[in-house]
């Protein structure tokens, strides 16, 4: 049994990455994309549809920075018949593995969940700090106190003491951490493929924080200040969805989903059986 398993593993490694592999009745049909150039290029070579590539990017972006983390030789395994929704998606990198399994909830919505039955996307914190009050809401027109002109304010300003800690609202990757004109000391954090949060006028950054640093939800990233174009200590916070600034107080935020408790063990056993069969 062990030698057969080893044989299968060796075979999977040797066989052309673009072929659909089927081994008897125990191994589910699956396709492996091995990265040689880019996910898009190698997926096309492996006959994987653009829709599934989009799904892979959308789902795994919470765990993998596709611009920086992907290496030659990394593999994506797509389990299931071509054309149908995959029953599992697995990423195998040099230092990291991520596997998700499809699950349809009682309302008929199909999503992908990790082995513990949780979606890869986290719940976001509504506010990135403990604040005294909201000093300026998201609005299309407000009279700017320094510029003395009417202009949109597509952000929320939170009044707080200088030095109050500012938290990342969700896990993510630092895009920028620098001084930037009117925003002063500012941090941009990318969460998954669609969300970016912006934290401006900071008095200082947390030590060790650099562009491409990974941050966790609730991690202190900097401290409230009044750098840049600012009349007093506050945090200017922006929530961007697909590049567009949204109202952080009202925009629906990602909320982590879980497999229904009544389905949990069935889901987990199936997922484990699938991993063993590959
Ligand atoms: Zn502001």
């Amino acid at each position: 049994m062990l030698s057969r398993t080893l044989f299968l593993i060796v075979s999977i490694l040797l066989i052309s990455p673009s072929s659909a592999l089927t081994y008897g009745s125990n191994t589910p049909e699956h396709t492996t994309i091995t990265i040689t150039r880019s996910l898009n290029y190698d997926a096309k070579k492996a006959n994987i549809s653009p829709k599934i590539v989009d799904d892979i990017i959308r789902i795994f972006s919470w765990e993998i920075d596709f611009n920086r983390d992907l290496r030659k030789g990394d593999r994506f395994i797509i389990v299931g018949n071509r054309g149908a929704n995959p029953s599992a998606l697995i990423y195998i990198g040099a230092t990291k593995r991520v596997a998700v399994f499809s699950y349809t909830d009682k309302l008929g919505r199909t999503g992908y969940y990790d082995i513990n039955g949780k979606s890869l996307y986290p719940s976001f914190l509504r506010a990135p700090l403990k604040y005294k009050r909201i000093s300026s809401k998201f609005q299309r027109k407000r009279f700017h106190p320094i510029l003395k002109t009417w202009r949109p304010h597509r952000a929320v300003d939170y009044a707080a003491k200088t030095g109050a800690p500012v938290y990342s609202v969700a896990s993510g990757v630092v895009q920028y951490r620098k001084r930037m004109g009117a925003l002063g000391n500012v941090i941009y954090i990318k969460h998954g493929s669609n969300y970016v949060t912006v934290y401006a006028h900071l008095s200082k950054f947390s030590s060790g924080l650099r562009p491409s640093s990974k941050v966790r939800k609730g991690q202190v990233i900097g401290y409230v200040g009044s750098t840049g174009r600012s009349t007093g200590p506050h945090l200017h916070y922006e929530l961007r969805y697909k590049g567009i600034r949204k109202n952080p107080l009202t925009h629906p935020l990602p909320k982590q989903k879980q497999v229904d408790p009544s389905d949990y063990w069935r889901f987990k056993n199936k997922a484990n059986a699938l991993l063993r069969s590959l």
Side-chain angles (χ1 to χ4, degrees):
M1 188 58 204
L2 182 65
S3 63
R4 184 175 144 76
T5 309
L6 282 174
F7 170 75
L8 287 179
I9 291 169
V10 170
S11 305
I12 289 168
L13 292 173
L14 291 178
I15 285 173
S16 155
S18 59
S19 56
L21 305 170
T22 313
Y23 293 103
S25 55
N26 293 330
T27 306
E29 194 174 321
H30 61 279
T31 307
T32 303
I33 303 170
T34 303
I35 301 301
T36 63
R37 278 198 212 171
S38 71
L39 177 60
N40 278 309
Y41 173 86
D42 294 303
K44 202 170 171 191
K45 246 178 54 184
N47 275 324
I48 297 298
S49 72
K51 195 231 165 236
I52 290 182
V53 174
D54 286 350
D55 286 346
I56 288 173
I57 293 171
R58 180 176 51 80
I59 293 163
F60 286 110
S61 283
W62 296 104
E63 290 285 333
I64 304 163
D65 181 348
F66 278 86
N67 293 324
R68 294 173 193 269
D69 293 348
L70 225 51
R71 297 280 179 273
K72 271 185 190 171
D74 286 2
R75 285 175 291 151
F76 290 91
I77 301 173
I78 296 112
V79 181
N81 300 324
R82 280 217 182 88
N85 284 327
S87 52
L89 298 166
I90 301 163
Y91 164 74
I92 302 174
T95 57
K96 189 169 195 175
R97 289 173 178 225
V98 186
V100 290
F101 309 87
S102 85
Y103 164 73
T104 303
D105 67 17
K106 293 196 163 51
L107 297 170
R109 298 172 301 197
T110 300
Y112 288 86
Y113 297 81
D114 70 11
I115 192 90
N116 296 315
K118 291 182 175 169
S119 64
L120 294 189
Y121 54 86
S123 301
F124 280 41
L125 298 171
R126 183 60 75 181
L129 77 171
K130 295 192 180 78
Y131 57 93
K132 286 196 289 197
R133 65 192 166 84
I134 289 171
S135 51
S136 178
K137 286 189 181 174
F138 187 95
Q139 51 205 310
R140 302 210 181 283
K141 269 184 133 188
R142 87 161 164 162
F143 192 71
H144 195 281
I146 293 178
L147 298 175
K148 309 286 184 206
T149 53
W150 292 88
R151 40 171 51 212
H153 184 248
R154 299 188 205 283
V156 169
D157 289 347
Y158 294 101
K161 278 192 190 134
T162 298
V166 174
Y167 316 105
S168 176
V169 293
S171 54
V173 178
V174 176
Q175 277 189 313
Y176 305 109
R177 189 227 67 153
K178 61 178 180 184
R179 201 161 181 116
M180 207 188 274
L183 294 175
N185 291 330
V186 64
I187 298 173
Y188 283 57
I189 298 179
K190 192 167 197 287
H191 314 275
S193 47
N194 290 333
Y195 288 91
V196 171
T197 51
V198 178
Y199 312 78
H201 308 313
L202 302 171
S203 55
K204 57 177 185 163
F205 304 115
S206 283
S207 59
L209 204 72
R210 301 268 177 277
S212 89
S213 292
K214 293 194 166 127
V215 293
R216 298 177 316 278
K217 176 164 99 171
Q219 183 178 330
V220 176
I221 52 174
Y223 301 89
V224 169
S226 191
T227 55
R229 193 186 293 146
S230 166
T231 50
H234 74 283
L235 178 74
H236 168 100
Y237 171 62
E238 295 178 14
L239 173 72
R240 300 182 184 188
Y241 176 69
K242 294 188 174 176
I244 295 168
R245 285 177 279 181
K246 299 290 183 185
N247 186 344
L249 301 178
T250 57
H251 186 73
L253 294 174
K255 197 167 182 301
Q256 189 171 50
K257 279 171 70 171
Q258 293 193 27
V259 167
D260 193 277
S262 62
D263 292 331
Y264 177 73
W265 285 108
R266 195 152 39 98
F267 169 87
K268 189 152 177 139
N269 290 337
K270 217 172 115 186
N272 273 319
L274 199 151
L275 285 181
R276 278 197 305 271
S277 72
L278 287 171

